[in-house]
Amino acid sequence: MSGAVALQTLIAGLATGAAYGLIALGFTLVHRLTAVIAFAHGDIVVGAVFVAVLAVVGSTPAAIGLGLGSAVAFVALALAAGALLSVAVYVAAIRPFRARARIGRAGDVIGWAAGSLAAALLIRELAGLPFTQQAYAIPDPLGTAGTLGLGGGVFVEGRALIVLAIGLAAGIAVERALAVTGAGAVVRAVSEDPGAAALLGVPTERVILLAFAFAGALAGLAGVLIAPDAALGPADGALLGLKGVAAALIGGLASLRLALAGGLALGVLEAFAVTELGGGWGDVVALTLLVLLAARR
């Protein structure tokens, strides 16, 4: 591999990895507060995108440019749909089993895991009602930035740089906000000792609901960033979710900063695997990494 190709691959991988990092942030945030792996999170990414597509474009999307108003509406709807779907999954499929755990009933882990997986399948089936084909070209609300020459025979897609900038900016902003603001201090208090936080008057349940909403909004943003890169179908959420878990596990499901870094690392590994070995190897590398990381926990 030449140096030019390696640099192009690196930038493309970092751009995809920034979207993976946003998904991993959502997994990490809710896990810190609830000790739950939100298995529906990948389907929330895809579901949020298709809600925006249905509202702005209709049930027969194409890779068309969007006007400014439509692009803004697309992004806003994707973020809002992600937040609402995430809260709905928590309320319907996760919170009841966490309540059982608080009163000492067994089976809570199996319960929230099964409930979350069932919610993922429900989102997938609902998305498949208006979108019956296996995959669709998704409109790009970011527009087209063409190809940029960086010198030395290196050319990169302008969109990749935009996606990387947005993903990093959003991820760093979230991590910094939770590290230095008063709201972040409340979240940290609930994650470290929810009982003590409740005794101090912190509305722990409201904090958890807001965390799920925020994680869902990040999932919607990740979908906006990553969906236009390739055809997307209602069933693609499972793979995106697994990649998000792999990225989160790189950070040990404990650090938002490491979750974002894990997404970037996964995107780069996947990009180089595709360049060197072929298209299908990117998913193989990601899933192999997930198996190895899960086995070590």
Side-chain angles (χ1 to χ4, degrees), residues 27-58:
F27 276 114
T28 302
L29 179 59
V30 301
H31 185 269
R32 285 179 59 180
L33 290 168
T34 63
V36 163
I37 301 293
F39 291 114
H41 205 58
D43 287 278
I44 290 171
V45 175
V46 173
V49 169
F50 278 115
V51 167
V53 168
L54 186 63
V56 175
V57 182

Side-chain angles (χ1 to χ4, degrees), residues 164-279:
L164 177 58
I166 293 174
L168 285 177
I172 292 171
V174 170
E175 192 276 332
R176 286 290 83 202
L178 291 177
V180 302
T181 65
V186 171
V187 171
R188 293 196 305 274
V190 174
S191 66
E192 292 168 4
D193 193 334
L199 289 175
L200 292 173
V202 176
T204 57
E205 189 61 26
R206 188 183 306 171
V207 170
I208 292 171
L209 280 170
L210 289 174
F212 269 85
F214 206 70
L218 288 174
L221 178 58
V224 168
L225 296 179
I226 203 171
D229 286 340
L232 184 74
D236 290 336
L239 184 57
L240 282 174
L242 291 174
K243 290 179 179 181
V245 173
L249 285 174
I250 292 175
L253 281 168
S255 168
L256 299 182
R257 183 180 302 178
L258 289 178
L260 181 60
L264 295 172
L266 179 60
V268 170
L269 287 173
E270 185 178 284
F272 276 96
V274 169
T275 300
E276 288 291 306
L277 303 174

Side-chain angles (χ1 to χ4, degrees), residues 7 217 237:
L7 183 55

Side-chain angles (χ1 to χ4, degrees), residues 7 53 60 63 90-91 93 95 98-99 131 179 185 226 242 262:
L7 183 55
V53 168
T60 55
Y90 172 69
V91 171
R95 184 167 66 179
R98 294 188 68 247
F131 298 99
I226 203 171
L242 291 174

